[in-house]
Amino acid sequence: MTSHTTAGPGRRPGVLAVDEGTTGTRAGVVRPDGSVAHVAYRPIGVDHPDRDSVEQDAAEIWTATLAVCRDALAAAHADGTEVTAVALSTQRATAVLWDRESGRPLTPAVVWQDRRHAGDLLALEAEWDADLLARTGRPVGSRSPFLWAARQIAANPRVAEAAKDGRLLFGTVDTWLAWNLTGGRVYATTATNACSTGGYLLREHAWHTGWIERLGFPVELLPELRADDEGMGVTDASVLGLAVPVAASMGDQHAALIALGGLDAGDAMCMYGTGTFADAATGTGIFPPVPGVDGVLAQVGRREGGTSQFSLEAYCSTTGSALRWLCEDLRFFRTPAEIGELAAKAESSAGAWFVPALAGVRTPAWRPNATAALTGLTLATGRAELARAVLEGIAHSVCDLVDGVTATTGSPLRRIRVGGGVAGSDTLMRIQADLIGLPLERVADSATASLRGTAYLAGARQGLWPSLQTIVEAQPVGRVFEPSLDPAEREARRAAWRAVLAPRLAGPGGEQQTG
């Protein structure tokens, strides 16, 4: 079977897009109008061998990806769609070691949340943080796939033997999937995935070999670096039943930023899920950290046509997980939807505050041991006021991310689009717009943002659309939430939040967030 990028007579073209996340893999076919159809999903297990280790079965990642791709392809074929390209969107910084000859993983994959080597990395901060922040956009941090791999080579007999025999391969999930999809012909990674490893030089589009060697990792194992739209070879016809280009590959949040319109400097997105990511495009400018603001990371937003467009990212870990905790663990409410319904009935929280720091705080100060708080309760606090306090606490935490990004760039944001399951609460979105002071557009299909974003990049490169901007701006406008607070009241509420948050930040600092 030969590679092709145009559909046959009577059939419309489509891009098979894969979104391989931490807890599950989905695939769908993005159509010429930019919508996605035939979405298939498979959950993936995540293991926690101890309090600091987080692992996955890389073989399960591949088999789940293969299954959803085949499901989506079968459905597309049945409705007259011909897939002309594949696009990958993957979880970032999760690393795999595998055998070139057998194609099998040699050890469980280490997930980006893993902190088993945090203590060893902490000892390197004084020597390396300044260099890494200036050149890679992130500090030493609490995890490194390169240090993990070096330790595996040193201590795991299977890995050591494969390294000695020249059979060992290493890569993040995009490298692992592309290698499998192409029948082992492509061993590469892309800029948006490489930058999350902490070993990628932003300006040079090159590996930071000095840092990587310092961690003990053999640089000859590093995958080839490619642009996000450069392509990752052609699928092996025996794998998916067709041979088409793997035309784009991106980290998942970077792909979502594209789908939510973050193409130009000042465009931003907030994705509300288990945690919330705030990402903002910065154009061709790289913005280093500023004093007094932790956890805002510079990275590649996308590398397109050999040119890097950069972005900033900040993250809070407990938004949706806080709602789940309140409902399932504490049983204060039946469902997250009930929280929104009750909060809509209260004009204010009546002095109640909820700080959702259930897994520490990252921005404005990195305090990994910070704890949550529910305070200001009186006999006047009812369930509606408590629900309002919960949503306000989440909204203030997201404001801290946005404030961190704007403090780093020194410029206000031009536009914010939002998505994710938690963003489905109208009450939360109204509170959020008031506290940020900008209109928020909730996109219509945010659940497939990572699928669509990387497919848009692939389709633009393959000629399915005239340009990336054309297909992104052709998407339907979502619901817009306008702010209603005057600036003085907004600042008063933000100042009150900072006073409530301050005691949670009073402890000693820790290593910086690098997720």
Side-chain angles (χ1 to χ4, degrees), residues 264-281:
D264 301 317
D267 292 341
M269 74 161 195
C270 288
M271 285 294 288
Y272 296 75
T274 301
T276 294
F277 286 89
D279 290 75

Side-chain angles (χ1 to χ4, degrees), residues 68-402:
V68 295
C69 285
R70 287 173 172 169
D71 287 350
L73 283 170
H77 180 78
D79 85 345
T81 299
E82 183 172 352
V83 166
T84 59
V86 173
L88 298 177
S89 165
T90 56
Q91 57 171 306
R92 304 169 295 174
T94 293
V96 184
L97 287 166
W98 72 98
D99 188 313
R100 181 196 303 271
E101 294 182 2
S102 71
R104 295 174 184 159
L106 294 167
T107 184
V110 64
V111 177
W112 59 272
Q113 299 156 316
D114 190 281
R115 292 166 48 89
R116 72 184 72 180
H117 300 305
D120 294 329
L121 291 165
L122 182 64
L124 299 173
E125 286 185 351
E127 179 185 359
W128 283 94
D129 258 3
D131 175 88
L132 293 175
L133 283 166
R135 303 179 71 191
T136 72
R138 57 188 62 219
V140 169
S142 60
R143 57 103 175 111
S144 169
F146 303 114
L147 180 59
W148 166 79
R151 297 290 174 83
Q152 291 291 323
I153 293 170
N156 186 318
R158 295 181 65 206
V159 177
E161 176 119 4
K164 179 181 176 182
D165 295 344
R167 295 180 285 110
L168 184 63
L169 295 179
F170 162 88
T172 44
V173 172
D174 65 316
T175 307
W176 168 240
L177 294 183
W179 189 86
N180 279 287
L181 284 167
T182 61
R185 290 190 295 272
V186 172
Y187 182 53
T189 188
T190 60
T192 53
N193 284 290
C195 71
S196 68
T197 66
Y200 174 83
L201 298 172
L202 295 174
R203 292 176 178 83
E204 295 89 340
H205 181 55
W207 291 114
H208 190 334
T209 54
W211 168 239
I212 294 169
E213 287 178 328
R214 174 63 181 84
L215 296 171
F217 182 89
V219 294
E220 62 271 17
L221 284 181
L222 289 168
E224 175 192 350
L225 284 170
R226 298 188 179 184
D228 295 293
D229 69 343
E230 188 174 343
M232 299 279 270
V234 175
T235 60
D236 188 324
S238 67
V239 175
L240 291 181
L242 75 171
V244 295
V246 182
S249 177
M250 302 191 74
D252 50 7
Q253 295 303 320
H254 311 258
L257 182 60
I258 287 178
L260 270 65
L263 301 182
D264 301 317
D267 292 341
M269 74 161 195
C270 288
M271 285 294 288
Y272 296 75
T274 301
T276 294
F277 286 89
D279 290 75
T282 63
T284 56
I286 300 174
F287 290 85
V290 297
V293 179
D294 291 341
V296 180
L297 305 177
Q299 56 191 11
V300 179
R302 69 185 185 278
R303 186 168 176 85
E304 181 186 5
T307 299
S308 291
Q309 300 288 330
F310 298 99
S311 65
L312 290 172
E313 181 173 279
Y315 169 67
C316 59
S317 60
T318 45
T319 47
S321 57
L323 300 180
R324 185 208 60 76
W325 175 73
L326 287 162
C327 296
E328 297 180 15
D329 295 348
L330 299 188
R331 301 189 179 183
F332 284 4
F333 307 97
R334 289 191 300 273
T335 63
E338 184 189 33
I339 296 176
E341 292 165 2
L342 286 168
K345 298 176 181 178
E347 294 184 3
S348 75
S349 66
W353 291 93
F354 175 62
V355 180
L358 294 160
V361 175
R362 292 166 170 80
T363 303
W366 173 229
R367 298 292 185 266
N369 296 319
T371 56
L374 184 59
T375 187
L377 306 183
T378 70
L379 291 175
T381 306
R383 295 182 74 240
E385 288 74 22
L386 183 58
R388 182 88 184 187
V390 167
L391 296 191
E392 288 182 352
I394 289 173
H396 277 293
S397 296
V398 174
C399 280
D400 289 341
L401 305 182
V402 173

Side-chain angles (χ1 to χ4, degrees), residues 60-73:
E60 183 186 7
I61 291 174
W62 167 237
T63 55
T65 300
L66 187 58
V68 295
C69 285
R70 287 173 172 169
D71 287 350
L73 283 170

Side-chain angles (χ1 to χ4, degrees), residues 12-84:
R12 57 179 176 273
V15 177
L16 174 66
V18 175
D19 179 17
E20 199 297 302
T22 308
T23 57
T25 298
R26 72 186 73 232
V29 177
V30 177
R31 300 178 289 197
D33 65 356
S35 64
V36 62
H38 314 307
V39 177
Y41 176 80
R42 293 286 189 283
I44 295 173
V46 181
D47 298 321
H48 301 268
D50 56 60
R51 60 174 294 176
D52 293 322
S53 300
V54 188
E55 298 178 342
Q56 290 186 299
D57 181 353
E60 183 186 7
I61 291 174
W62 167 237
T63 55
T65 300
L66 187 58
V68 295
C69 285
R70 287 173 172 169
D71 287 350
L73 283 170
H77 180 78
D79 85 345
T81 299
E82 183 172 352
V83 166
T84 59

